[in-house]
Amino acid sequence: IDLQVARSQAMAESREMKVLALQTIRSMIDEGMDQTAGEEISIILNALATEGTSRQVRSGANTVVNDYPDIRRQAVELLWQVGGNAAEQSLKGVLRDDTEPMVLSEAVYGLGMMEIENPAEVADHLVYLLRRWNAMPAPDNNLAYATLLSVERLAMSHDEIAASPELINVLLGIASGNYIREVRLKAIDVISGLRNR
């Protein structure tokens, strides 16, 4: 019943119903239901995580009326808490399709926090994301820092991450890019850690 309620709330048009869906799912996770219904929960969360990006509702003036970055960020947070292959695929889709830094930061951080099945694919998605953001005149410091934390954590258990020359090149772009000092120093620290593996 909880899954049916959450699904209906998530698919409703109003933002308030989507907030209720997130609250329902958070309660389900707190009660441990993600252990038995993780895949179904991930499907609902994927719909919420792509609300306004992959899943768009347009008005008569052809503007997107369901662009809710805060909803997407919360859905992404819950996705990585649920974990599993479905969540990993959803987070990689977010990295590919979303443009909102707070949503991307949560997705990158989440990939670093969960057990991933395809580290080489995750490395490719991180490279794609960082190439896009490093080229901007005012890149997002939080996104860069979340990515550095994720790479650092993933490299501990996945040699594919540590050995990716493309990933090291984009990390060098952070170290020498238009970021605040703390982010650039963290990039140097992460690169040094990758070299010592």
Side-chain angles (χ1 to χ4, degrees), residues 38-98:
E39 196 162 320
E40 293 89 347
I41 291 173
S42 290
I43 291 168
I44 298 168
L45 288 171
N46 182 58
L48 290 167
T50 59
E51 188 74 36
T53 57
S54 299
R55 263 178 20 97
Q56 294 182 343
V57 176
R58 296 189 174 267
S59 70
N62 205 26
T63 57
V64 177
V65 294
N66 65 331
D67 185 17
Y68 308 125
D70 58 323
I71 298 289
R72 295 195 309 269
R73 189 205 61 77
Q74 290 178 59
V76 164
E77 178 188 358
L78 293 172
L79 265 169
W80 69 257
Q81 288 177 19
V82 170
N85 189 47
E88 180 180 333
Q89 296 306 318
S90 294
L91 294 180
K92 288 188 288 192
V94 167
L95 293 185
R96 183 188 62 239
D97 299 333
D98 211 300

Side-chain angles (χ1 to χ4, degrees), residues 55-189:
R55 263 178 20 97
Q56 294 182 343
V57 176
R58 296 189 174 267
S59 70
N62 205 26
T63 57
V64 177
V65 294
N66 65 331
D67 185 17
Y68 308 125
D70 58 323
I71 298 289
R72 295 195 309 269
R73 189 205 61 77
Q74 290 178 59
V76 164
E77 178 188 358
L78 293 172
L79 265 169
W80 69 257
Q81 288 177 19
V82 170
N85 189 47
E88 180 180 333
Q89 296 306 318
S90 294
L91 294 180
K92 288 188 288 192
V94 167
L95 293 185
R96 183 188 62 239
D97 299 333
D98 211 300
T99 58
E100 182 61 44
M102 74 173 172
V103 178
L104 294 169
S105 297
E106 191 68 48
V108 166
Y109 183 77
L111 283 168
M113 294 301 290
M114 58 188 276
E115 285 295 320
I116 59 169
E117 295 182 22
N118 301 301
E121 276 184 31
V122 169
D124 290 344
H125 279 80
L126 294 176
V127 167
Y128 171 76
L129 176 71
L130 288 176
R131 280 189 182 142
R132 220 171 56 194
W133 281 88
N134 285 351
M136 293 186 175
D140 190 82
N141 289 298
N142 289 331
L143 176 57
Y145 202 82
T147 305
L148 292 167
L149 292 174
S150 185
V151 168
E152 188 174 51
R153 186 167 167 84
L154 289 170
M156 287 185 213
S157 54
H158 300 286
D159 291 335
E160 302 92 323
I161 301 286
S164 169
E166 295 89 4
L167 186 56
I168 292 171
N169 280 338
V170 292
L171 295 180
L172 287 168
I174 294 175
S176 62
N178 193 21
Y179 293 94
I180 61 173
R181 184 174 189 270
E182 290 81 8
V183 173
R184 291 192 318 259
L185 290 174
K186 181 64 176 176
I188 292 167
D189 184 48

